[in-house]
Amino acid sequence: MKKNIIIVCCLSLMVSSLSGQTLKAFITAADNAFVTKDYYSALVYYSNALEFDSENIELQYQAAEASRLFNAYTPAEEKYQYVMDNDFDNEYPLSAFWLAEIKQKKGKYEEAKTLYQLYLSESEENKYFFEKAEKEIKACEWSADVVMNPDTSMTIAHLGDGINSPYSEFGALAINDEELLFSSLRYEKQDDIHNPKRTISKILRSEDKTTGEIIDDNINDGEIHIAHNTFSRDKKRMYYTECQYINTSDIRCDLYYRPINEDGTYGTKVKLPEFINADTHTSTQPNIGFNPQTEKEVLYFVSDRQGGAGKLDIWYSEIQDENTFAEPINLESINTYEDDITPFYHIPSEVLYFSSEGYQTMGGFDIFKTSKEDYLYTAPEHLPAHINSSYHDIYYTLDDTSEEAHFSSNREGSYFLESAQEACCYDIYRIDYEELFLNLDALTFDKRSTTELPGATVKLIDKKTGAIIGEIINDQTNNHPFELERDKDYIIIAEKENYSSDTIEFSTKKIYRSEDFIKKLFLETEMMELDVFTFDKLTNGSLAGSRVRLIDMETGEIVGEEIYNANSNDFKFNLIPCKEYKLIASKDGYDTVTQTFVADCNGGSMTKKLFLGRGASLYLPLTLYFDNDIPDIRSVKTFTEKTYTNTYNPYIVRKEEFKTNYSSPLNGELKNVASQKVDDFFEFDVRGGYGQLNKFLEQLVVELNGGQQITLSIKGYASPRATSKYNKALSKRRIHSLKNELVKYQGGILANYIVKSQLKIEELPFGEDLAPSGISDKIPDRRNSVYSVEASRERRIEITGIKYQ
């Protein structure tokens, strides 16, 4: 059974005396208290035991655990640190994680981040803790920024000792300007067999928000927890929880309501149906909201029942009539695998507030808000600092005017149940929101001339609902003033006849002071449409997969963005009448095509057809071969003065020498086969590659002249006859010979493109690294290590790819 983790902050207030007892007796008492989740008693007993043996690392760790679970952050921090400093055998691998969590809850984000990283580096990859540590590292980085941007348009005040006590106070709900209802865990359970007696909660009323007294004794049963009150919209019914202990500290809750009589007294309690309450789970923290689509009240509550996303989840049940409740539905769009609790639906703004540990938080429970969009709740939004802190912040409620809110927190400044341990408890805080004056002036301009544009219509739209908040037509000037609300997303739309509209989205969220906003909207005269089609020049067939750019000849800038169409040959652009443009079409394996034209001054539409021929990439991959140890025999340089042509010509004339030396040891048909094999290699591979190179370079020039940005990927190889280091340098020289070939091609026609970085080379020298293991590397075995086709094929470079930018 899962306990209600919020209503019970700390249960045991004293521990029975073990004066004069042994170390073993203290440890036994501490262990028994820990098992029953009486963490305060466990902490005291472990502390007593440590007075006997302060260097006992196991006792230090158990005391740290009890401190953490009792929300005693200061002793937890000290004891986990002791364990980390002395755990030389890494017997307590989670100590770094828990110390990081404590540091995070105290707002020490840099220290916490370092400790989470330490845990990740040393952990055994427990999936839950490993993923949570990664999540919390990001949360620490984010929290440090959040703290630097607090909401300065509000003040937060602790309600003082008339409302708060050293125990937990929570669930504050403003009834009107003065009256406040809340729950308090300050009362002893009178029939309790435990020594000392455990505490229970009751609902209190404050008529001036400075002192509190118990409401109707008929409601506040002296032996069970009574808490979490909420009211129907007509104030004729109060919903609340009754909770009972199921062991030393865990509790289970059910939901009830009481009718409110005309004289303000409360009627007989009614337990909600079994499909909402059940012995197998807890149902708690009710809140009454409203569904504007169905115009029905909605009961939000928290439960650990099956079917949830994780631990405690938020559920809801629509109230069909006074006595009929729909089956509960999990609010799965916002629930997480951690605890999601304390829902509060603000009916005037249709916003749901709740607290969670499952989202990115500042350390503990943080308060979030969400609202419906298309019938689903949107991604929750984190409330700013200082509403949220590194401590637990829960039970946020907001009055109908949105000017005053309350919440509970155990942050610094809250009263301690045990001041020596700085532990426990939740206190109630009030938020007073300052009234903000937010004004917008939407200015309209002609986009082409950038001059002021009177006569436009400007609409201000609520982005969430789509409703038009205001609409202004100004025939005299380009000003359109609006008053805005805080914490809203807006859309501004400007329209004018014969002009295209302009739209701006902006938000008043995270605006914490009064401010005047200026937003400029630019409307453009209606443009004409250009339809571009690409075709294969050889076949006249449609050519899909092309890229088309439209260039403004006056500015030289691309109009809009380059368009890529993988599925068809149709490209659409907008033109300004009478303007001069240039079209550039390209496709891998095709020549780049350009066409210059002037847009029709009469408007309407235009069509252009572009025919693309085959390009340089058609010849790739391209392989070029080298003689043994060429270029620059026995050199250790990584560059050469030779071009590939300089190496090719001497190599190709050695064909007969290679044939003879490779086939001479053989006889008969084997000799003929070996000779033909070498002949085929020289004619088809060596000579064929050189011929293909020249065709490739011809197309490369065409594409570069057309404005293409090109990068060539060149790989270099070597046979394994020399050392690996030498062969790496040799493969670099071979690549460099091709670079020289490019520079000197046709009198240097490509050199200028290389200098301007329009043509780039990506070098990948592999040496012998990728040579098959069967290639001979024996120096004396020249037949196989020099003259064989297998070895010859390894002495090569490859142009493997061409990238267009």
Side-chain angles (χ1 to χ4, degrees):
M1 175 62 62
K2 185 184 185 80
K3 73 175 182 177
N4 184 324
I5 61 172
I6 299 305
I7 195 172
V8 180
C9 172
C10 36
L11 303 172
S12 298
L13 314 182
M14 300 170 56
V15 293
S16 57
S17 172
L18 290 179
S19 160
Q21 297 299 312
T22 64
L23 169 62
K24 182 177 180 181
F26 281 121
I27 294 175
T28 300
D31 290 344
N32 290 337
F34 196 96
V35 168
T36 60
K37 300 182 181 179
D38 183 358
Y39 300 119
Y40 173 74
S41 296
L43 173 57
V44 174
Y45 288 137
Y46 283 130
S47 298
N48 289 335
L50 284 168
E51 292 180 7
F52 286 83
D53 187 3
S54 62
E55 296 182 358
N56 187 317
I57 193 169
E58 182 178 0
L59 287 178
Q60 289 281 4
Y61 186 77
Q62 286 302 111
E65 291 283 88
S67 300
R68 172 175 61 84
L69 294 168
F70 185 57
N71 290 337
Y73 299 152
T74 297
E77 182 179 20
E78 294 171 354
K79 289 174 171 56
Y80 280 125
Q81 187 66 61
Y82 180 90
V83 173
M84 286 196 61
D85 292 342
N86 294 277
D87 184 16
F88 304 114
D89 296 326
N90 197 28
E91 295 181 36
Y92 304 95
L94 280 176
S95 58
F97 180 91
W98 293 128
L99 181 56
E101 183 178 87
I102 296 298
K103 297 277 191 185
Q104 185 181 8
K105 288 182 184 299
K106 297 187 75 173
K108 300 177 181 180
Y109 296 120
E110 283 302 316
E111 295 179 50
K113 177 182 172 183
T114 300
L115 286 163
Y116 281 127
Q117 291 169 334
L118 176 63
Y119 170 76
L120 290 175
S121 69
E122 297 180 347
S123 73
E124 297 178 357
E125 298 199 17
N126 177 300
K127 187 175 189 303
Y128 173 82
F129 288 106
F130 198 85
E131 291 179 354
K132 186 167 177 58
E134 290 182 320
K135 169 179 171 280
E136 297 307 329
I137 287 172
K138 296 177 182 177
C140 287
E141 295 170 342
W142 167 80
S143 298
D145 290 334
V146 171
V147 169
M148 300 302 293
N149 189 34
D151 186 344
T152 56
S153 67
M154 64 179 181
T155 57
I156 298 179
H158 183 267
L159 288 192
D161 59 11
I163 299 293
N164 294 311
S165 73
Y167 300 84
S168 281
E169 278 70 40
F170 53 93
L173 183 68
I175 305 302
N176 49 49
D177 288 344
E178 297 297 330
E179 193 172 0
L180 190 74
L181 293 184
F182 63 97
S183 302
S184 176
L185 193 63
R186 67 184 71 171
Y187 300 96
E188 279 190 350
K189 181 175 172 63
Q190 296 302 314
D191 65 352
D192 198 20
I193 62 174
H194 289 78
N195 182 25
K197 291 181 170 59
R198 292 169 296 180
T199 58
I200 57 173
S201 62
K202 296 179 183 289
I203 299 174
L204 281 68
R205 180 191 304 274
S206 173
E207 295 183 353
D208 58 3
K209 297 184 181 178
T210 61
T211 59
E213 59 182 21
I214 295 175
I215 64 170
D216 194 333
D217 286 335
N218 183 44
I219 295 175
N220 284 297
D221 188 310
E223 303 307 318
I224 61 175
H225 292 284
I226 306 295
H228 309 123
N229 57 283
T230 184
F231 294 90
S232 60
R233 295 181 71 205
D234 59 10
K235 299 297 188 292
K236 292 183 178 180
R237 178 181 290 182
M238 181 180 79
Y239 295 82
Y240 65 101
T241 59
E242 292 189 2
C243 310
Q244 298 194 35
Y245 287 106
I246 57 176
N247 55 37
T248 302
S249 61
D250 288 347
I251 63 173
R252 193 193 67 78
C253 302
D254 290 316
L255 301 179
Y256 289 80
Y257 72 80
R258 287 179 183 267
I260 301 175
N261 302 319
E262 291 185 3
D263 61 359
T265 59
Y266 294 92
T268 304
K269 70 179 180 180
V270 178
K271 187 176 182 179
L272 269 59
E274 289 187 2
F275 56 80
I276 293 177
N277 294 310
D279 293 340
T280 56
H281 58 254
T282 191
S283 297
T284 185
Q285 299 167 17
N287 179 256
I288 295 298
F290 183 71
N291 186 339
Q293 285 81 33
T294 63
E295 297 187 345
K296 300 284 188 182
E297 288 187 339
V298 177
L299 170 67
Y300 293 93
F301 65 98
V302 170
S303 179
D304 59 357
R305 67 186 58 216
Q306 291 184 347
K311 300 176 183 177
L312 287 170
D313 272 7
I314 298 172
W315 296 73
Y316 68 95
S317 169
E318 191 164 271
I319 304 174
Q320 306 298 333
D321 56 48
E322 283 190 358
N323 298 306
T324 305
F325 297 82
E327 284 283 345
I329 298 174
N330 185 270
L331 197 54
E332 59 184 1
S333 61
I334 66 170
N335 285 320
T336 69
Y337 63 91
E338 297 289 354
D339 288 309
D340 304 288
I341 59 172
T342 63
F344 172 76
Y345 186 88
H346 188 242
I347 294 176
S349 62
E350 300 177 14
V351 173
L352 177 67
Y353 296 87
F354 67 101
S355 290
S356 176
E357 282 190 310
Y359 294 96
Q360 188 165 253
T361 74
M362 297 175 69
F365 280 102
D366 276 6
I367 303 167
F368 296 82
K369 69 176 182 178
T370 178
S371 56
K372 280 186 178 178
E373 190 173 294
D374 297 329
Y375 298 94
L376 292 175
Y377 278 105
T378 56
E381 179 183 340
H382 183 265
L383 268 60
H386 299 294
I387 297 176
N388 283 315
S389 69
S390 62
Y391 293 81
H392 292 311
D393 302 296
I394 54 179
Y395 287 106
Y396 180 92
T397 62
L398 182 65
D399 72 0
D400 288 347
T401 68
S402 297
E403 294 177 357
E404 183 180 271
H406 293 85
F407 69 100
S408 290
S409 179
N410 66 334
R411 64 183 59 193
E412 291 182 0
S414 300
Y415 296 139
F416 295 129
L417 177 63
E418 172 55 67
S419 59
Q421 305 291 358
E422 298 182 12
C424 206
C425 277
Y426 291 94
D427 281 358
I428 296 173
Y429 291 79
R430 184 184 70 248
I431 305 171
D432 292 305
Y433 288 103
E434 173 189 326
E435 184 178 4
L436 298 186
F437 298 95
L438 305 173
N439 299 299
L440 165 70
D441 194 358
L443 306 178
T444 51
F445 297 87
D446 183 289
K447 186 173 182 179
R448 293 181 186 169
S449 65
T450 68
T451 57
E452 295 180 2
L453 184 66
T457 300
V458 176
K459 298 175 183 177
L460 182 67
I461 298 172
D462 184 320
K463 184 179 179 181
K464 174 190 166 187
T465 64
I468 298 175
I469 298 171
E471 181 175 327
I472 297 175
I473 303 174
N474 189 344
D475 292 324
Q476 306 301 317
T477 70
N478 70 331
N479 300 92
H480 305 80
F482 296 93
E483 291 183 1
L484 306 176
E485 297 179 32
R486 69 189 301 162
D487 208 29
K488 282 193 122 176
D489 293 317
Y490 291 99
I491 300 173
I492 313 170
I493 300 177
E495 300 170 327
K496 183 176 170 70
E497 188 176 358
N498 298 322
Y499 281 79
S500 60
S501 63
D502 191 15
T503 301
I504 294 176
E505 294 185 11
F506 76 104
S507 176
T508 57
K509 293 178 178 177
K510 297 185 179 180
I511 302 297
Y512 304 139
R513 63 182 184 276
S514 297
E515 190 170 340
D516 294 328
F517 297 90
I518 300 292
K519 297 295 178 183
K520 297 181 179 181
L521 297 103
F522 294 86
L523 287 73
E524 191 169 13
T525 51
E526 295 292 344
M527 303 184 75
M528 60 186 298
E529 186 176 275
L530 170 65
D531 221 348
V532 179
F533 297 93
T534 54
F535 300 90
D536 187 298
K537 187 175 182 179
L538 181 63
T539 65
N540 289 328
S542 298
L543 190 63
S546 300
R547 297 179 183 276
V548 178
R549 281 179 287 169
L550 181 67
I551 307 295
D552 185 324
M553 293 296 287
E554 181 180 341
T555 64
E557 296 178 351
I558 298 176
V559 177
E561 295 182 355
E562 180 180 77
I563 298 176
Y564 171 70
N565 192 336
N567 301 313
S568 80
N569 70 328
D570 190 5
F571 304 80
K572 295 186 183 298
F573 297 91
N574 289 322
L575 304 176
I576 297 175
C578 297
K579 231 179 188 329
E580 185 177 12
Y581 296 95
K582 178 166 71 174
L583 283 168
I584 301 175
S586 62
K587 177 178 169 65
D588 291 352
Y590 287 80
D591 296 336
T592 298
V593 173
T594 65
Q595 185 179 126
T596 303
F597 67 98
V598 176
D600 193 330
C601 294
N602 295 319
S605 61
M606 296 182 71
T607 299
K608 294 292 179 183
K609 297 181 179 181
L610 302 175
F611 294 84
L612 284 72
R614 293 287 181 176
S617 61
L618 180 67
Y619 301 99
L620 299 184
L622 172 59
T623 305
L624 305 172
Y625 294 92
F626 294 81
D627 201 349
N628 182 54
D629 205 12
I630 297 299
D632 303 332
I633 189 168
R634 298 187 183 88
S635 173
V636 294
K637 297 185 297 184
T638 58
F639 62 93
T640 181
E641 300 296 326
K642 292 184 173 62
T643 66
Y644 177 72
T645 297
N646 296 149
T647 70
Y648 168 80
N649 289 327
Y651 183 34
I652 198 69
V653 300
R654 295 186 67 196
K655 179 178 74 170
E656 293 303 320
E657 177 185 347
F658 271 68
K659 289 169 64 176
T660 299
N661 282 282
Y662 184 67
S663 63
S664 59
L666 305 174
N667 296 307
E669 185 60 27
L670 289 177
K671 182 173 183 146
N672 292 334
V673 170
S675 179
Q676 186 61 50
K677 184 178 179 181
V678 174
D679 190 273
D680 289 345
F681 170 72
F682 273 83
E683 291 304 313
F684 294 111
D685 295 307
V686 180
R687 194 184 302 278
Y690 186 68
Q692 191 175 345
L693 172 65
N694 285 283
K695 293 178 182 179
F696 172 76
L697 294 180
E698 289 177 8
Q699 292 298 322
L700 189 64
V701 170
V702 172
E703 294 188 13
L704 290 166
N705 286 340
Q708 283 284 3
Q709 300 278 337
I710 293 175
T711 300
L712 300 180
S713 295
I714 305 176
K715 298 178 179 179
Y717 303 85
S719 65
R721 198 164 184 267
T723 66
S724 177
K725 181 177 180 181
Y726 179 87
N727 283 329
K728 188 79 73 171
L730 177 57
S731 65
K732 290 181 179 180
R733 293 200 300 276
R734 287 172 175 166
I735 293 174
H736 199 262
S737 73
L738 181 57
K739 292 173 66 176
N740 293 338
E741 185 81 14
L742 296 175
V743 170
K744 295 183 179 180
Y745 178 71
Q746 289 188 359
I749 192 170
L750 295 175
N752 189 44
Y753 295 118
I754 294 174
V755 171
K756 295 189 300 182
S757 294
Q758 188 177 340
L759 175 60
K760 299 178 182 178
I761 307 298
E762 182 184 61
E763 299 182 41
L764 301 167
F766 294 113
E768 68 177 74
D769 292 350
L770 302 181
S773 58
I775 304 298
S776 175
D777 61 352
K778 308 299 184 185
I779 301 297
D781 183 16
R782 290 181 61 80
R783 175 180 181 268
N784 288 302
S785 66
V786 174
Y787 297 110
S788 71
V789 172
E790 288 77 10
S792 296
R793 288 191 187 282
E794 297 306 308
R795 299 189 288 269
R796 71 189 189 278
I797 57 174
E798 296 174 349
I799 306 177
T800 57
I802 182 169
K803 298 177 185 176
Y804 298 90
Q805 299 174 344

